[in-house]
Amino acid sequence: PLYLLCILLLLTLFLFLGVAFFNARGEPRAAIVAYSMLEHGNWILPVNNGDEIAFKPPFLHWCIAALSWLAGGVSEFTARFPSALSLSLMTLAYNGRRRRPERARRTALLTLSNFEVHRAGMACRVDMLLAALMVGALLALFRWSEGHERGVPWVAWLCLSGAALTKGPVG
């Protein structure tokens, strides 16, 4: 079942990421911030056209810029890849060691088949990255509260820090 879920993620998300042009107002805005980071080297306060500063915290832009640097330039695929990867990891995280693996599989399929979640996973927006980081933090805190982890819940702390760097106080 895990292999089937991975194949389903590949077929429904990653094959079509770069096919369509940017179709929402926020997508090219996030991509141009990543482009400015690569072009000018300012990864903290990127400036676009000499005076515009990014509207959102930089974590998504860092992800896009790092991937685009590896790929050789910012494109629709590289700009949308962090959202698709976030949805994939969030969906696969449900399939961890659970008492009821069938319920975990149904939850993963239900999440993936939700229209708004799938749309957010195919767009260059902060929403899917924020959702995946929040789900990761909640799952880590759940495992910690069950007693599977000792000490400080570092994974939850890192996920919540990433969420705050993705959308600010919401995270």
Side-chain angles (χ1 to χ4, degrees):
L2 183 62
Y3 294 124
L4 291 175
L5 183 61
C6 290
I7 290 170
L8 186 64
L9 286 167
L10 179 70
L11 291 176
T12 61
L13 287 177
F14 294 100
L15 290 181
F16 303 105
L17 278 182
V19 173
F21 293 121
F22 291 129
N23 54 20
R25 178 176 57 168
E27 283 190 314
R29 188 182 314 154
I32 199 69
V33 171
Y35 175 79
S36 296
M37 286 179 175
L38 291 173
E39 188 70 22
H40 303 293
N42 189 352
W43 289 64
I44 304 299
L45 288 173
V47 177
N48 182 28
N49 290 331
D51 65 349
E52 292 181 26
I53 297 177
F55 293 104
K56 304 282 184 184
F59 191 60
L60 175 68
H61 307 114
W62 289 343
C63 294
I64 295 169
L67 183 65
S68 298
W69 179 74
L70 290 173
V74 179
S75 67
E76 284 85 357
F77 180 83
T78 60
R80 292 178 179 143
F81 189 82
S83 294
L85 182 64
S86 298
L87 176 57
S88 299
L89 292 176
M90 184 176 79
T91 305
L92 292 173
Y94 292 136
N95 282 320
R97 284 182 259 152
R98 300 279 176 248
R99 288 182 222 148
R100 298 181 181 145
E102 184 59 38
R103 183 182 289 177
R105 276 190 227 92
R106 278 186 273 152
T107 303
L109 288 174
L110 183 65
T111 301
L112 185 61
S113 65
N114 183 301
F115 173 75
E116 283 298 319
V117 173
H118 192 271
R119 185 187 62 79
M122 295 282 292
C124 174
R125 303 296 301 259
V126 298
D127 303 326
M128 195 69 246
L129 185 57
L130 173 70
L133 288 168
M134 295 299 285
V135 166
L138 290 172
L139 286 173
L141 287 172
F142 180 70
R143 287 186 53 83
W144 180 73
S145 71
E146 283 184 324
H148 296 295
E149 295 181 15
R150 304 272 186 242
V152 178
W154 290 106
V155 173
W157 183 80
L158 289 173
C159 286
L160 290 173
S161 299
L165 281 171
T166 299
K167 194 139 180 178
V170 172

